[in-house]
Amino acid sequence: MNWFVSAGIRSHAAVQLFCLPYAGGGASVFRRWQEGIGPDVEVLPVQLPGRENRITEDPRFDIADVAAAIASRADRPYAIYGHSMGGRVGFEVVRELRRTGAPLPVRLYVGGARAPHVTAASLFDGLSQVDDEELLRRLGDGGGLPAALLEHPELVELLLPLLRADFGRVDSYRYVPGEPLPVPIVAFSGRHDGAVTRSHSAAWAEHTAAGFTLHEIDGGHFFLQDRLPELLAVLRTDLAAARTGSPAATPPVSGVGHRVPLGDTGWSVWRDAILRGTGFPADGLTLFHAPRAAAAADELLATGCDADRFDKEFDEAVRAGAHRISELAGQPLLREAVTWQNPGALLALDGLARGGGDAARNVRRRDRERALLKYWQRYCGKNETVGFFGPSCWVTVDPSLPEVARISPGPGLTRRRWVWFESWALAAYADALGTDLAVRRWWPPMLCPT
């Protein structure tokens, strides 16, 4: 059983792209993809049963069979693209691959497809229940059938069983809730799509714990036909990033809303980003608060009376704070954080921890306390750019979402700690310097090999 149609085996390609068609479509939908996407990607259109060279087969199919076919053909990093019905088929295929323990794709691309849990009505809903004339008319209005096809009744007759089977699958689909996929999802939304809205596409973010990106393309529901070069440009660049495990660095697509304006201020923020927490809980900022001393100070300033009460509360706050500072100076995580930024500051922490809360508050003691509190304020209330910082997660900011911002922390996020030396950044910097003639003239002279 031949599940794939390709333009020849490309074993040299670094990544494979399996493509799933829309309802009623076959592998020929993707016939121009191999030429347009370049030699680094092997395009493998999936030929579902009941269409084109498999026209004599029952057009109904099982997700498990599609998943098994892809798993058997995937022999290197691969991705899956599904359009419209193919998007949800691709989603269920990845779930099946996860269930069976098969290698998962590096990306799931979905184009013109509603997220699995979205039940809002679509232009193509209910087509399995209407008569032939209505089915063909609505498909033609939505751009799903070439007008010339309707001039050949014999072709229409061959196509109708396939259309009814596919739209029967669309109409009967029911999402079964489950864990988000550990695979990044990239969704494509046609700006003028009358069947799938932008919010329907944005809702795919709920189904991945590995990052989500939404691209808008200036086309209708079948933008994979009339805006193919733009679509392939994004796929080509994103697949190159996916192979190295890097975040996607997609080129600008006309109309892509990758930034969210902050009102009319002229400023904007990235729609999809990594949100990084501070190194320590924000409630650490209240560790040294002294509400009773503050109330006594307010009373003294307002009335000029009860100075003795203020002195008593102030002395008690200083004593309690000194003990907390000494305890904090011995905290292993704080000491590790300070070590990454300023190893010399450990001497001050050692002195605070060794002296205890009852040590004399001379100039040295107060300087050490002040230094420790500066670090503590930064670690609890500021997103540090160097040294020690907290857990990261994906965040999507979108005013069209009910909650405005959606955060995807993923499993076990705060339990894993590591240090990562970014050697690639240094190598890139060295390469840039090496091409700068103003730098090279200062290099030491070298004899020519001759």
Side-chain angles (χ1 to χ4, degrees), residues 10 15 59 76 88 126 148 181 227 270 279 372 375 405 423 432 441 444:
R10 293 176 178 249
V15 65
R76 71 204 85 152
R88 283 183 170 178
L181 297 178
R227 310 297 291 190
W270 297 112
L372 172 57
Y375 281 116
S423 59
R441 62 190 291 263

Side-chain angles (χ1 to χ4, degrees), residues 94-105:
V94 178
R95 292 177 108 186
E96 175 67 14
L97 292 169
R98 177 174 61 179
R99 188 189 68 78
T100 60
L104 297 179

Side-chain angles (χ1 to χ4, degrees), residues 276-298:
R276 192 173 73 191
T278 54
F280 292 84
D283 58 10
L285 293 172
T286 64
L287 185 63
F288 296 99
H289 74 325
R292 294 173 53 139
D298 289 342

Side-chain angles (χ1 to χ4, degrees), residues 411-435:
L413 178 71
T414 59
R415 296 184 179 275
R416 181 181 174 207
R417 299 176 61 244
W418 72 98
V419 178
W420 192 2
F421 183 69
E422 300 278 6
S423 59
W424 64 268
L426 293 181
Y429 183 56
D431 290 341
L433 286 179
T435 59

